[in-house]
């Protein structure tokens, strides 16, 4: 059974190679402006769950995940050519909402800072 460290190394390699494929070879415009935020490989190396995010406000998360699902055969074939394994994991795509949550938290904190009474150098 593979070690957790080996699974993490494989996940990191898949993330790097997938980013390179998306940057240079993906022809589908729905795959543009998409960031691979994380990859998790299961213990048996049979599945790799790929988490996605985007900065494109015109594309819905569902549309992006569906586009990746349709391109999964191409992406898996390209990854398998670059990463030598006996059997390459099947790819699952999931939306990663954490960047959106982070931006929302930043907006809330900025609003609190604007509403907070100004601090002065005088102490009472």
């Amino acid at each position: 059974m593979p070690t957790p460290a080996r699974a993490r190394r494989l996940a990191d390699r898949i993330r790097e190679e997938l980013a390179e494929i998306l940057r240079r070879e993906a022809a589908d415009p729905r795959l543009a402006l998409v960031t691979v935020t994380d990859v998790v490989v299961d213990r048996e190396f049979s599945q790799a769950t790929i988490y996605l995010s985007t900065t494109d406000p015109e594309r819905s998360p569902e549309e992006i995940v569906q586009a990746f699902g349709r391109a999964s055969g191409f992406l898996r074939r390209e990854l398998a050519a670059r990463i030598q394994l006996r059997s390459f994991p099947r790819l699952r795509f999931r939306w990663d909402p954490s960047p959106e949550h982070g931006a929302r938290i930043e907006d809330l904190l900025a609003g609190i800072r604007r509403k907070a009474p100004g601090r002065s150098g005088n102490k009472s």
Side-chain angles (χ1 to χ4, degrees), residues 84-116:
Q84 298 301 313
L85 292 173
R86 185 174 300 149
S87 174
F88 201 83
R90 286 177 284 134
L91 305 178
R92 293 188 321 182
F93 298 96
R94 301 286 184 260
W95 187 253
D96 183 0
S98 58
E100 296 160 352
H101 289 293
R104 174 76 175 127
I105 290 170
E106 286 296 322
D107 289 345
L108 291 171
L109 290 174
I112 290 170
R113 286 186 210 111
R114 283 192 298 269
K115 292 180 184 177

Short mmCIF file of all heavy atoms in Angstrom, two decimals, residues 84-116:
data_model
loop_
_atom_site.label_atom_id
_atom_site.label_comp_id
_atom_site.label_asym_id
_atom_site.label_seq_id
_atom_site.Cartn_x
_atom_site.Cartn_y
_atom_site.Cartn_z
N GLN A 84 4.53 8.55 -15.09
CA GLN A 84 4.57 7.11 -15.31
C GLN A 84 4.06 6.35 -14.08
O GLN A 84 4.67 6.40 -13.02
CB GLN A 84 6.00 6.68 -15.63
CG GLN A 84 6.54 7.31 -16.90
CD GLN A 84 5.71 7.00 -18.13
OE1 GLN A 84 5.35 5.86 -18.36
NE2 GLN A 84 5.37 8.02 -18.91
N LEU A 85 2.92 5.70 -14.24
CA LEU A 85 2.34 4.84 -13.22
C LEU A 85 1.85 3.57 -13.91
O LEU A 85 1.54 3.59 -15.10
CB LEU A 85 1.15 5.51 -12.54
CG LEU A 85 1.41 6.71 -11.66
CD1 LEU A 85 0.09 7.32 -11.21
CD2 LEU A 85 2.23 6.32 -10.45
N ARG A 86 1.76 2.51 -13.17
CA ARG A 86 1.23 1.26 -13.74
C ARG A 86 -0.19 1.48 -14.24
O ARG A 86 -0.57 1.08 -15.32
CB ARG A 86 1.27 0.16 -12.69
CG ARG A 86 0.87 -1.19 -13.24
CD ARG A 86 1.05 -2.27 -12.22
NE ARG A 86 2.45 -2.34 -11.81
CZ ARG A 86 2.85 -2.70 -10.60
NH1 ARG A 86 1.98 -3.04 -9.69
NH2 ARG A 86 4.12 -2.75 -10.32
N SER A 87 -1.01 2.11 -13.42
CA SER A 87 -2.38 2.42 -13.78
C SER A 87 -2.66 3.83 -13.29
O SER A 87 -2.51 4.12 -12.10
CB SER A 87 -3.33 1.42 -13.10
OG SER A 87 -4.66 1.80 -13.32
N PHE A 88 -3.08 4.70 -14.20
CA PHE A 88 -3.29 6.10 -13.81
C PHE A 88 -4.68 6.26 -13.18
O PHE A 88 -5.65 5.67 -13.66
CB PHE A 88 -3.15 7.03 -15.02
CG PHE A 88 -2.86 8.43 -14.62
CD1 PHE A 88 -1.57 8.81 -14.32
CD2 PHE A 88 -3.87 9.35 -14.48
CE1 PHE A 88 -1.29 10.10 -13.91
CE2 PHE A 88 -3.62 10.63 -14.07
CZ PHE A 88 -2.32 11.02 -13.79
N PRO A 89 -4.78 7.05 -12.11
CA PRO A 89 -6.08 7.22 -11.44
C PRO A 89 -7.14 7.87 -12.33
O PRO A 89 -6.83 8.67 -13.20
CB PRO A 89 -5.76 8.15 -10.26
CG PRO A 89 -4.31 8.38 -10.25
CD PRO A 89 -3.72 7.81 -11.49
N ARG A 90 -8.39 7.51 -12.08
CA ARG A 90 -9.51 8.20 -12.72
C ARG A 90 -9.61 9.60 -12.12
O ARG A 90 -9.30 9.80 -10.95
CB ARG A 90 -10.81 7.44 -12.49
CG ARG A 90 -10.88 6.16 -13.34
CD ARG A 90 -12.13 5.36 -13.06
NE ARG A 90 -11.92 4.67 -11.79
CZ ARG A 90 -12.79 4.62 -10.80
NH1 ARG A 90 -13.97 5.15 -10.92
NH2 ARG A 90 -12.50 3.99 -9.68
N LEU A 91 -10.05 10.54 -12.91
CA LEU A 91 -10.12 11.93 -12.47
C LEU A 91 -11.55 12.31 -12.11
O LEU A 91 -12.48 12.03 -12.87
CB LEU A 91 -9.59 12.87 -13.57
CG LEU A 91 -8.20 12.58 -14.10
CD1 LEU A 91 -7.85 13.57 -15.20
CD2 LEU A 91 -7.17 12.62 -12.98
N ARG A 92 -11.71 12.92 -10.94
CA ARG A 92 -13.00 13.49 -10.52
C ARG A 92 -12.76 14.98 -10.31
O ARG A 92 -11.74 15.36 -9.74
CB ARG A 92 -13.47 12.90 -9.20
CG ARG A 92 -13.83 11.47 -9.26
CD ARG A 92 -14.47 10.99 -7.98
NE ARG A 92 -13.85 11.55 -6.77
CZ ARG A 92 -14.22 11.23 -5.55
NH1 ARG A 92 -15.20 10.39 -5.36
NH2 ARG A 92 -13.62 11.75 -4.52
N PHE A 93 -13.70 15.79 -10.71
CA PHE A 93 -13.55 17.24 -10.58
C PHE A 93 -14.60 17.77 -9.62
O PHE A 93 -15.77 17.41 -9.69
CB PHE A 93 -13.67 17.90 -11.95
CG PHE A 93 -12.59 17.46 -12.89
CD1 PHE A 93 -12.80 16.43 -13.79
CD2 PHE A 93 -11.34 18.04 -12.84
CE1 PHE A 93 -11.80 16.01 -14.64
CE2 PHE A 93 -10.32 17.62 -13.68
CZ PHE A 93 -10.55 16.60 -14.58
N ARG A 94 -14.16 18.64 -8.72
CA ARG A 94 -15.04 19.26 -7.73
C ARG A 94 -14.75 20.75 -7.68
O ARG A 94 -13.62 21.18 -7.91
CB ARG A 94 -14.81 18.67 -6.32
CG ARG A 94 -15.04 17.19 -6.21
CD ARG A 94 -16.53 16.90 -6.24
NE ARG A 94 -16.79 15.49 -6.05
CZ ARG A 94 -17.07 14.64 -7.02
NH1 ARG A 94 -17.10 15.04 -8.25
NH2 ARG A 94 -17.31 13.38 -6.76
N TRP A 95 -15.76 21.52 -7.37
CA TRP A 95 -15.61 22.96 -7.21
C TRP A 95 -15.06 23.26 -5.82
O TRP A 95 -15.51 22.69 -4.83
CB TRP A 95 -16.95 23.66 -7.42
CG TRP A 95 -16.79 25.13 -7.42
CD1 TRP A 95 -17.17 26.00 -6.44
CD2 TRP A 95 -16.18 25.91 -8.43
NE1 TRP A 95 -16.83 27.27 -6.79
CE2 TRP A 95 -16.21 27.24 -8.01
CE3 TRP A 95 -15.58 25.60 -9.65
CZ2 TRP A 95 -15.68 28.28 -8.78
CZ3 TRP A 95 -15.06 26.63 -10.41
CH2 TRP A 95 -15.12 27.95 -9.97
N ASP A 96 -14.09 24.16 -5.75
CA ASP A 96 -13.50 24.57 -4.48
C ASP A 96 -14.00 25.98 -4.15
O ASP A 96 -13.56 26.95 -4.76
CB ASP A 96 -11.98 24.57 -4.57
CG ASP A 96 -11.31 24.92 -3.26
OD1 ASP A 96 -12.02 25.15 -2.25
OD2 ASP A 96 -10.07 24.95 -3.22
N PRO A 97 -14.93 26.11 -3.20
CA PRO A 97 -15.48 27.42 -2.89
C PRO A 97 -14.59 28.26 -1.96
O PRO A 97 -14.91 29.40 -1.67
CB PRO A 97 -16.81 27.09 -2.20
CG PRO A 97 -16.54 25.79 -1.53
CD PRO A 97 -15.60 25.05 -2.45
N SER A 98 -13.48 27.72 -1.49
CA SER A 98 -12.68 28.44 -0.49
C SER A 98 -12.16 29.80 -0.97
O SER A 98 -12.15 30.75 -0.18
CB SER A 98 -11.55 27.57 0.05
OG SER A 98 -10.72 27.13 -0.97
N PRO A 99 -11.73 29.99 -2.23
CA PRO A 99 -11.32 31.34 -2.64
C PRO A 99 -12.47 32.35 -2.55
O PRO A 99 -12.26 33.49 -2.15
CB PRO A 99 -10.84 31.16 -4.08
CG PRO A 99 -10.42 29.74 -4.16
CD PRO A 99 -11.38 29.00 -3.26
N GLU A 100 -13.68 31.91 -2.91
CA GLU A 100 -14.83 32.80 -2.82
C GLU A 100 -15.14 33.14 -1.36
O GLU A 100 -15.46 34.27 -1.03
CB GLU A 100 -16.05 32.15 -3.47
CG GLU A 100 -15.88 31.95 -4.96
CD GLU A 100 -16.82 30.90 -5.51
OE1 GLU A 100 -17.50 30.22 -4.72
OE2 GLU A 100 -16.85 30.76 -6.74
N HIS A 101 -15.04 32.13 -0.49
CA HIS A 101 -15.28 32.37 0.93
C HIS A 101 -14.23 33.32 1.49
O HIS A 101 -14.55 34.22 2.28
CB HIS A 101 -15.26 31.06 1.73
CG HIS A 101 -16.43 30.18 1.47
ND1 HIS A 101 -17.72 30.51 1.83
CD2 HIS A 101 -16.52 28.98 0.86
CE1 HIS A 101 -18.54 29.55 1.47
NE2 HIS A 101 -17.84 28.60 0.86
N GLY A 102 -12.99 33.15 1.09
CA GLY A 102 -11.92 34.03 1.54
C GLY A 102 -12.16 35.47 1.11
O GLY A 102 -11.96 36.41 1.89
N ALA A 103 -12.59 35.66 -0.14
CA ALA A 103 -12.87 37.01 -0.63
C ALA A 103 -14.04 37.62 0.13
O ALA A 103 -14.01 38.82 0.46
CB ALA A 103 -13.18 36.97 -2.13
N ARG A 104 -15.05 36.82 0.43
CA ARG A 104 -16.21 37.32 1.19
C ARG A 104 -15.80 37.75 2.60
O ARG A 104 -16.22 38.79 3.09
CB ARG A 104 -17.29 36.22 1.26
CG ARG A 104 -18.47 36.57 2.12
CD ARG A 104 -19.39 37.54 1.42
NE ARG A 104 -20.56 37.75 2.24
CZ ARG A 104 -21.00 38.94 2.61
NH1 ARG A 104 -20.40 40.03 2.20
NH2 ARG A 104 -22.06 39.05 3.37
N ILE A 105 -14.95 36.96 3.24
CA ILE A 105 -14.45 37.31 4.58
C ILE A 105 -13.65 38.60 4.52
O ILE A 105 -13.80 39.47 5.38
CB ILE A 105 -13.63 36.15 5.16
CG1 ILE A 105 -14.56 34.99 5.50
CG2 ILE A 105 -12.84 36.59 6.40
CD1 ILE A 105 -13.85 33.70 5.86
N GLU A 106 -12.80 38.75 3.50
CA GLU A 106 -12.02 39.98 3.35
C GLU A 106 -12.94 41.19 3.18
O GLU A 106 -12.68 42.25 3.75
CB GLU A 106 -11.07 39.87 2.16
CG GLU A 106 -9.88 38.99 2.41
CD GLU A 106 -8.97 39.54 3.50
OE1 GLU A 106 -8.77 40.78 3.57
OE2 GLU A 106 -8.47 38.73 4.28
N ASP A 107 -14.01 41.05 2.40
CA ASP A 107 -14.97 42.14 2.22
C ASP A 107 -15.64 42.51 3.53
O ASP A 107 -15.81 43.69 3.85
CB ASP A 107 -16.03 41.76 1.19
CG ASP A 107 -15.50 41.71 -0.22
OD1 ASP A 107 -14.39 42.23 -0.46
OD2 ASP A 107 -16.18 41.12 -1.09
N LEU A 108 -16.03 41.49 4.31
CA LEU A 108 -16.66 41.75 5.61
C LEU A 108 -15.69 42.45 6.55
O LEU A 108 -16.08 43.41 7.25
CB LEU A 108 -17.15 40.44 6.23
CG LEU A 108 -18.32 39.77 5.53
CD1 LEU A 108 -18.57 38.38 6.12
CD2 LEU A 108 -19.57 40.62 5.64
N LEU A 109 -14.45 42.01 6.59
CA LEU A 109 -13.46 42.65 7.47
C LEU A 109 -13.19 44.10 7.04
O LEU A 109 -13.06 44.99 7.88
CB LEU A 109 -12.16 41.85 7.48
CG LEU A 109 -12.23 40.50 8.18
CD1 LEU A 109 -10.93 39.74 7.99
CD2 LEU A 109 -12.53 40.67 9.66
N ALA A 110 -13.15 44.34 5.74
CA ALA A 110 -12.94 45.70 5.24
C ALA A 110 -14.11 46.59 5.64
O ALA A 110 -13.92 47.75 6.03
CB ALA A 110 -12.76 45.69 3.73
N GLY A 111 -15.33 46.05 5.58
CA GLY A 111 -16.50 46.81 6.00
C GLY A 111 -16.47 47.15 7.48
O GLY A 111 -16.83 48.25 7.90
N ILE A 112 -16.01 46.21 8.29
CA ILE A 112 -15.90 46.45 9.73
C ILE A 112 -14.87 47.52 10.00
O ILE A 112 -15.08 48.41 10.84
CB ILE A 112 -15.54 45.14 10.47
CG1 ILE A 112 -16.74 44.18 10.42
CG2 ILE A 112 -15.12 45.40 11.91
CD1 ILE A 112 -16.43 42.78 10.91
N ARG A 113 -13.75 47.46 9.30
CA ARG A 113 -12.69 48.47 9.50
C ARG A 113 -13.18 49.86 9.12
O ARG A 113 -12.84 50.84 9.77
CB ARG A 113 -11.46 48.12 8.67
CG ARG A 113 -10.68 46.98 9.24
CD ARG A 113 -9.37 46.77 8.46
NE ARG A 113 -9.03 45.38 8.53
CZ ARG A 113 -9.05 44.52 7.52
NH1 ARG A 113 -9.38 44.93 6.32
NH2 ARG A 113 -8.74 43.27 7.69
N ARG A 114 -13.99 49.96 8.06
CA ARG A 114 -14.51 51.26 7.64
C ARG A 114 -15.49 51.82 8.67
O ARG A 114 -15.56 53.03 8.87
CB ARG A 114 -15.21 51.14 6.29
CG ARG A 114 -14.27 51.06 5.13
CD ARG A 114 -15.00 51.23 3.81
NE ARG A 114 -15.99 50.20 3.58
CZ ARG A 114 -15.78 49.05 2.95
NH1 ARG A 114 -14.58 48.79 2.49
NH2 ARG A 114 -16.74 48.17 2.78
N LYS A 115 -16.26 50.94 9.31
CA LYS A 115 -17.27 51.39 10.27
C LYS A 115 -16.71 51.64 11.66
O LYS A 115 -17.35 52.30 12.47
CB LYS A 115 -18.41 50.36 10.36
CG LYS A 115 -19.22 50.28 9.10
CD LYS A 115 -20.31 49.25 9.23
CE LYS A 115 -21.06 49.10 7.92
NZ LYS A 115 -22.08 48.06 7.99
N ALA A 116 -15.55 51.09 11.95
CA ALA A 116 -14.97 51.22 13.29
C ALA A 116 -14.59 52.69 13.52
O ALA A 116 -14.14 53.38 12.63
CB ALA A 116 -13.73 50.35 13.43
#
